[in-house]
Amino acid sequence: MASPRIALERVRKVYGRHVALDDVSVDVRPGEFLTLLGPSGSGKTTLLMAIAGFVRPEAGLIRIGEADVTRLPVNKRDIGIVFQNYALFPHMSVLGNVEYPLLLRRLPRAEARERARAALARTQLEGYEARDIAALSGGQRQRVALARAVVFEPRVLLMDEPLSALDKNLREQMQFEIRKLQQDLAITTIYVTHDQREALTMSDRIAVMNGGRIEQLDAPQPVYQRPRTRFVANFMGESNIMPAALVEPLGSAPPLDGTLVIRAENFALERDAAGGDGIAIKGRVAAYAFRGETWHLRLKVEGERELLLSIPSGKSLDQAGITIGQQLTAYAAARHIHRLDGGPEP
Amino acid sequence: MTAMTATVNAAGLRRDAATERRFFLSLALPSLVIVGIGAILPLFWILQQSLATARGDITLVNYTALLTNGLTWRSLLVTLELSGGTLLCCLVLGIPLAFLLASTSPRTASRLMVLVLLPLWTSILVRTYGWLVILRRDGLINDLLVGSGLVSEPVPLVYNFTGTLIGMVHYMLPIFVLPTYAAMRDIDGNVIRAAASMGASLWHCFRTVILPLAFGGIASGSVIVFVYTLGFFITPAILGGGRISPIAIRIDRTLSTLQDWGGAAAFGVFLLLIVAVLGVTALGAARLIRSKPAAD
Amino acid sequence: MPKLSQISTLILALSAAVPAWAQSVTITTAGGDYGTGMKEAMWAPAGKALGLDVRGETQSDGMAALRMQVSSGNVTTDIIHLGSGEGAQAADLGLLEPLDDTVVDQKALPSGAVSKFCYPFSSYGTVIAWNTKTYGQNGPKDWAEFWDVKKFPGRRALRNNAQDLLEAALLSQGVPPEKVYTTLSEPGGIKRAIDRLAELKPHVAVWWTSGAQSAQILKDGEADLVETWNGRAQSVKDDGGAAAYTFHSSIIGTDCLAVPKGAPHKADAMKLIAAMTSPEREAKLTDYIAYGPMNQAAYAGGKVPADKMALLATAPDNAVGVVYADAAWWAKHADEAQAAFDAMMNQ
């Protein structure tokens, strides 16, 4: 049975005066990996919990497949969930945890054991069956939680910041493992995180949330390169948002208007990088820092505005070549210049 | 040179450490003195009384008289029935109550907690007489029962085992709920959510997740209730109507009606031993169950 | 007045450990209305007249307090208020100083009430009381009728103690008052009384342990027939309770005052006992509580008003067909009697 779509229609949740979900509508495609990305308080976890059934919305429809589950209790929704702190049963062994949903479904004990072992094998946990939860590392617990969430073949999978407690290396490894598992199972998945890189790495599509709304719903690349709103631009990393009047069109470039977004890494210090229709901005170095693969520059430009530049190290720049107050011109190619939809001048 | 550096200032630092230890020990001194004078000394006095005749000779006659008296064993049986009954009622009433407290918001929980604890702040005499007013023949409950035509004759709710049990459960329930609630409150809410998401009904979740995780609190609450009630006196004295004679009532009887101090002291030692044996057994059992590899 | 034990040994131990601070005569009573009456009518005015600084203490179980004080060697009370049964027992155990006959006058007492150790000063009757809603004014007129469950069907309440009940049980079988203690002393005498109690046991709804409890039971109608003390029965009537009682065939007990062995102010204590039991002061006690004076002179000369006289167990008109509780018999047989009683209760 193929994993179904999840469709939300004008889901609303209010806590007192705080609107946690402001008429959110979203359609998650069958088998899709959708990430809800946003800062804390943006409503992403509330939305996930509403889908899971732990949060009762004030209004709206939640569908899994064709069925309306809005008023269905949690334990009837057939959803696998991985929680932020793993939420494993501390009084059961690894195997006990993974068998739990199977025994709950009255599977014969032998079959339950067989399937639980298979799920543990899938998450590289063979040989850990008899261990106590307390004896596991964070990564191993994460794998148990994952095995437990999928072992009963739920219709969809929800994950609430499952990797936030892991260190950076392990996190990156787990991102790939989770993604692979999800693709192998072809299970519709909604994943909550506040980590942009994680969202970009894992998702088919990203829904950037802010103030209880989805600001932008797109594949990773468009979200990264063509943020639709100022919030998304800011949230997706080191971007420069500036009025078009500040930049100087080069060559055949047509005059620009409105508000422009240029990512820090899309600037270069060579004229060539801008191509025939790029732009240039002049400024003085206000601060600089070495970040390994890049140099990080703050350029003071017209009107006390600061420009963020991320220049590959060793290529066009070395430390001796930078001094505070030094005059520089930054260039950007036309394809890296993105125009924001409307919005007032910053 | 290394050996030299290792001993630099070592004596002074050791002295500091010792002074610090002595200071913390001295903090415990007042309570040790109070326990010594208030609890240990009287215990020796009772022990001595139990081993002495009226003339002061050392004898075991008080113990042989006690252990050969059928009333002693009968009172022990009544005591165990009362303590066991109280514990059972506390389990049945207290676990859902603790669950309710643990699952409401902290604000509501703290308000409900005040209600739960309120009985602890009133005198046991006041509470016990309160129950008398409610349970007696022309009391609130019988008025309602007879008034509504459910029964034609008032039901005997007090001056018997039932009344005594009600009074004791009322007294012990908060004491049971406190550790149970604390254990349940410490359960990660996501663990319960996880069980529900996998399809567990509330009841199943309660049975397979909440109860095992709250076991420590429930066990300590149970031990407290059972051991504490072994020495109950006021409640059976007032609500038992003279029919319920647990050990504490027998001790009082031996002391004040029979004026047999040696016998009463021996009875006291007997009760103390029972409490000690049952308490140690219960704690041992609880530890055993907890250390057992988790059930699948 | 029997000392009702509602207090644990621990509390006794603690209170006994408090040393006497002031150099004054200390009197220990049972407290309550009774204690207040004793203070206002008897020891406060008597102490004032003697120029003594008297301090009152309260112990619901005077006998236990006495034992604790004497056995621990820390006697803090100079006068203790006991039931006469307890007084006899305490004397047997050597807990009391003998009364100084040159100071305490025994001649005013009825013959047979004289005691070398504990001076009787007030009396009460263990009476039959009933709920007038159940029986109207025509309650049982003696213990035989109290036992008669056909003539008087209903719930009984008895004291959870052999004392007075053994006497009542024999009276109910027609044993004449003057033969009660000789019958009890015969072989099988106690068993006979206990067996008679066992017959009534199925009809006993409550076995009460304190006087206050017996009054409550009478007042609430928890039981229809209540063995209680006349003072308690009267207070229920005074409170408007549907209760009546009869002095007929009551068992009369006395309370007494004694000086504990090793009391710190023995001589002053004797003087105070003598002064507080004068006819006037005993008569005055009846203003506070319906216990009959033992000093027979108290009844003479109208010191007790006629309406009050009707409420006193030892008033000449009331003390008819009654049994005077024999403290000496009880001191000798209490253990055996109570043990038999407890065995019957637990059957």
Side-chain angles (χ1 to χ4, degrees):
Chain A
M1 189 183 73
S3 193
R5 68 194 266 264
I6 302 170
L8 308 188
E9 201 177 308
R10 296 178 66 85
V11 174
R12 185 169 189 80
K13 178 69 195 176
V14 180
Y15 293 109
R17 282 196 178 150
H18 172 69
V19 181
L21 296 176
D22 191 359
D23 289 347
V24 175
S25 299
V26 63
D27 205 329
V28 189
R29 296 163 192 152
E32 181 178 31
F33 193 114
L34 181 97
T35 294
L36 302 176
L37 175 67
S40 56
S42 61
K44 58 190 191 303
T45 297
T46 307
L47 187 60
L48 193 81
M49 289 299 144
I51 298 166
F54 297 121
V55 165
R56 176 177 289 137
E58 261 80 48
L61 271 179
I62 302 169
R63 277 185 228 278
I64 298 177
E66 292 315 304
D68 175 4
V69 300
T70 320
R71 297 173 62 189
L72 204 64
V74 185
N75 56 338
K76 302 259 164 63
R77 291 195 184 189
D78 201 16
I79 292 176
I81 305 181
V82 178
F83 291 89
Q84 186 169 11
N85 51 2
Y86 320 130
L88 297 173
F89 303 131
H91 58 300
M92 298 179 193
S93 66
V94 169
L95 191 66
N97 266 275
V98 183
E99 276 181 340
Y100 185 86
L102 300 175
L103 295 176
L104 208 57
R105 283 167 176 70
R106 303 193 181 285
L107 250 68
R109 189 161 282 268
E111 191 188 337
R113 185 143 297 187
E114 197 48 48
R115 277 178 59 180
R117 281 180 192 283
L120 284 169
R122 222 182 232 290
T123 52
Q124 283 84 51
L125 278 175
E126 301 109 320
Y128 287 85
E129 287 84 352
R131 294 274 183 103
D132 265 352
I133 296 303
L136 300 184
S137 69
Q140 290 164 339
R141 288 179 201 203
Q142 185 53 64
R143 289 191 172 98
V144 177
L146 204 56
R148 189 180 66 172
V150 299
V151 71
F152 60 102
E153 292 170 7
R155 306 204 308 152
V156 299
L157 184 61
L158 306 181
M159 296 195 222
D160 183 14
E161 309 221 18
L163 304 180
S164 59
L166 302 181
D167 64 50
K168 188 167 171 286
N169 286 338
L170 194 54
R171 198 157 64 220
E172 283 170 3
Q173 186 190 338
M174 287 304 294
Q175 287 169 4
F176 286 105
E177 284 187 27
I178 290 175
R179 179 60 165 150
K180 180 165 187 309
L181 183 73
Q182 187 267 338
Q183 281 171 335
D184 287 352
L185 298 172
I187 184 168
T188 312
T189 299
I190 301 182
Y191 187 99
V192 163
T193 185
H194 63 266
D195 182 331
Q196 301 89 340
R197 194 167 295 274
E198 192 166 292
L200 294 169
T201 308
M202 300 176 79
S203 320
D204 291 320
R205 283 194 300 164
I206 298 171
V208 184
M209 290 194 69
N210 179 37
R213 295 166 164 278
I214 293 177
E215 295 248 345
Q216 185 167 357
L217 175 59
D218 253 322
Q221 270 186 315
V223 168
Y224 186 77
Q225 283 168 351
R226 290 193 293 282
R228 198 151 329 129
T229 67
R230 181 179 303 275
F231 172 81
V232 176
N234 273 323
F235 191 71
M236 289 313 293
E238 294 166 340
S239 280
N240 295 289
I241 304 171
M242 68 203 111
L246 217 60
V247 305
E248 182 187 315
L250 296 169
S252 62
L256 292 160
D257 63 347
T259 304
L260 305 182
V261 179
I262 306 172
R263 299 198 63 86
E265 73 268 24
N266 288 338
F267 278 110
L269 298 178
E270 299 86 17
R271 172 68 182 78
D272 296 352
D277 51 359
I279 55 105
I281 305 179
K282 285 197 181 68
R284 286 174 189 280
V285 176
Y288 60 90
F290 181 59
R291 278 186 170 183
E293 71 269 31
T294 58
W295 277 98
H296 193 72
L297 295 185
R298 286 187 174 277
L299 218 56
K300 190 160 270 178
V301 297
E302 209 180 303
E304 292 306 294
R305 199 176 286 272
E306 277 198 354
L307 209 59
L308 223 54
L309 275 64
S310 187
I311 308 295
S313 57
K315 192 173 158 199
S316 52
L317 209 62
D318 57 50
Q319 191 173 2
I322 310 172
T323 47
I324 300 284
Q326 179 184 354
Q327 275 273 5
L328 281 178
T329 305
Y331 299 94
R335 67 176 192 282
H336 289 137
I337 302 166
H338 171 61
R339 205 167 152 268
L340 270 189
D341 298 343
E345 290 283 310
Chain B
M1 284 317 275
T2 3
M4 282 292 285
T5 40
T7 57
V8 167
N9 209 16
L13 290 169
R14 249 198 320 273
R15 254 199 320 277
D16 286 355
T19 312
E20 212 167 280
R21 269 199 304 278
R22 272 198 297 277
F23 171 69
F24 283 111
L25 209 65
S26 72
L27 290 180
L29 209 61
S31 63
L32 286 176
V33 168
I34 289 169
V35 167
I37 292 175
I40 309 291
L41 280 184
L43 209 62
F44 277 112
W45 185 76
I46 288 174
L47 201 63
Q48 182 226 322
Q49 288 274 313
S50 76
L51 291 168
T53 60
R55 259 184 270 111
D57 308 326
I58 296 293
T59 176
L60 280 176
V61 73
N62 288 322
Y63 286 97
T64 47
L66 182 76
L67 299 176
T68 53
N69 189 345
L71 293 180
T72 304
W73 301 104
R74 209 182 146 80
S75 70
L76 176 61
L77 183 69
V78 170
T79 304
L80 294 178
E81 278 171 2
L82 280 175
S83 294
T86 306
L87 175 56
L88 201 69
C89 294
C90 279
L91 288 169
V92 169
L93 299 172
I95 291 176
L97 180 58
F99 181 54
L100 174 80
L101 284 171
S103 49
T104 53
S105 71
R107 228 174 113 123
T108 321
S110 63
R111 280 178 196 168
L112 286 173
M113 208 60 196
V114 172
L115 289 181
V116 171
L117 293 180
L118 210 56
L120 280 184
W121 301 335
T122 39
S123 146
I124 183 164
L125 273 172
V126 171
R127 280 190 277 163
T128 310
Y129 279 112
W131 277 112
L132 205 57
V133 171
I134 293 170
L135 298 175
R136 66 188 189 209
R137 260 172 87 77
D138 65 343
L140 199 65
I141 292 179
N142 269 318
D143 277 0
L144 285 175
L145 286 176
V146 175
S148 64
L150 278 171
V151 294
S152 56
E153 269 286 292
V155 182
L157 293 171
V158 75
Y159 299 126
N160 53 23
F161 189 86
T162 313
T164 309
L165 197 62
I166 291 172
M168 285 173 67
V169 169
H170 180 234
Y171 186 85
M172 294 311 298
L173 196 57
I175 295 169
F176 176 81
V177 164
L178 277 178
T180 306
Y181 162 67
M184 286 189 180
R185 193 198 43 203
D186 286 349
I187 299 175
D188 177 7
N190 274 347
V191 169
I192 298 162
R193 288 197 190 96
S197 74
M198 287 181 264
S201 62
L202 184 64
W203 165 242
H204 196 88
C205 190
F206 189 72
R207 206 166 54 78
T208 57
V209 178
I210 295 165
L211 274 187
L213 289 180
F215 178 80
I218 294 170
S220 50
S222 300
V223 172
I224 294 170
V225 166
F226 195 81
V227 171
Y228 203 99
T229 49
L230 289 175
F232 252 45
F233 173 73
I234 291 175
T235 312
I238 295 173
L239 299 178
R243 280 201 195 80
I244 306 303
S245 288
I247 290 174
I249 299 262
R250 281 299 309 165
I251 292 178
D252 172 69
R253 189 80 169 170
T254 313
L255 191 69
S256 60
T257 308
L258 304 179
Q259 296 291 334
D260 177 7
W261 283 43
F267 222 141
V269 174
F270 180 63
L271 175 60
L272 194 68
L273 286 177
I274 289 170
V275 167
V277 167
L278 287 175
V280 168
T281 311
L283 285 175
R287 192 162 304 159
L288 202 71
I289 294 171
R290 221 176 315 176
S291 68
K292 207 184 78 171
D296 51 2
Chain C
M1 188 68 199
K3 301 283 102 52
L4 305 164
S5 50
Q6 288 259 316
I7 179 164
S8 73
T9 34
L10 185 65
I11 294 166
L12 289 173
L14 288 175
S15 52
V18 176
W21 305 104
Q23 287 295 314
S24 57
V25 178
T26 302
I27 179 166
T28 300
T29 68
D33 288 349
Y34 200 0
T36 308
M38 286 174 72
K39 178 184 180 186
E40 300 299 331
M42 297 170 72
W43 60 260
K48 208 169 172 190
L50 292 174
L52 287 173
D53 179 17
V54 185
R55 209 166 62 94
E57 280 207 354
T58 294
Q59 283 291 353
S60 66
D61 191 340
M63 183 67 180
L66 174 68
R67 277 191 75 142
M68 180 70 78
Q69 291 193 8
V70 175
S71 68
S72 67
N74 182 20
V75 178
T76 55
T77 191
D78 300 298
I79 300 175
I80 186 132
H81 167 198
L82 298 169
S84 288
E86 293 172 335
Q89 220 173 0
D92 278 357
L93 291 168
L95 301 175
L96 301 178
E97 296 281 357
L99 295 169
D100 185 347
D101 289 343
T102 62
V103 180
V104 184
D105 177 21
Q106 301 254 8
K107 284 191 278 295
L109 298 173
S111 57
V114 175
S115 162
K116 276 178 79 170
F117 290 92
C118 201
Y119 188 82
F121 69 97
S122 86
S123 68
Y124 60 92
T126 297
V127 301
I128 296 166
W130 64 86
N131 188 333
T132 53
K133 280 186 198 148
T134 318
Y135 306 116
Q137 291 305 315
N138 301 314
K141 60 180 188 299
D142 56 23
W143 293 106
E145 292 197 336
F146 189 93
W147 250 259
D148 189 341
V149 295
K150 288 208 183 69
K151 190 167 175 193
F152 291 97
R155 300 152 55 83
R156 269 95 172 143
L158 298 179
R159 185 179 171 209
N160 191 7
N161 195 305
Q163 243 175 32
D164 302 335
L165 278 182
L166 297 191
E167 290 91 330
L170 292 189
L171 289 173
S172 80
Q173 290 182 314
V175 175
E178 63 278 12
K179 288 272 175 61
V180 164
Y181 287 103
T182 49
T183 310
L184 279 175
S185 298
E186 286 165 8
I190 290 174
K191 185 174 184 302
R192 177 178 165 185
I194 292 289
D195 289 349
R196 180 67 170 156
L197 277 169
E199 280 175 41
L200 194 60
K201 194 181 163 199
H203 304 277
V204 180
V206 187
W207 296 88
W208 53 264
T209 45
S210 76
Q213 198 190 354
S214 72
Q216 196 67 44
I217 287 162
L218 182 61
K219 195 177 170 192
D220 298 341
E222 191 72 37
D224 307 301
L225 291 173
V226 182
E227 174 222 4
T228 184
W229 294 305
N230 64 299
R232 297 292 185 178
Q234 183 59 39
S235 67
V236 173
K237 269 178 84 168
D238 291 346
D239 284 356
Y245 65 97
T246 175
F247 276 110
H248 191 265
S249 78
S250 64
I251 296 117
I252 293 178
T254 57
D255 276 9
C256 58
L257 299 167
V259 179
K261 192 113 193 160
H265 312 99
K266 197 174 117 182
D268 284 344
M270 298 291 175
K271 277 187 223 156
L272 187 60
I273 290 176
M276 64 191 277
T277 56
S278 69
E280 292 75 18
R281 296 200 172 110
E282 284 198 13
K284 184 79 176 153
L285 180 63
T286 64
D287 284 355
Y288 294 90
I289 191 151
Y291 290 136
M294 287 303 289
N295 192 328
Q296 292 300 294
Y299 285 113
K303 284 189 280 292
V304 180
D307 57 335
K308 206 78 184 206
M309 291 262 268
L311 308 178
L312 303 177
T314 46
D317 290 347
N318 287 340
V320 178
V322 299
V323 172
Y324 285 89
D326 186 339
W329 188 91
W330 275 104
K332 206 170 156 200
H333 296 101
D335 284 1
E336 185 191 349
Q338 299 291 8
F341 180 82
D342 285 353
M344 181 275 296
M345 284 295 287
N346 280 286
Q347 239 141 50

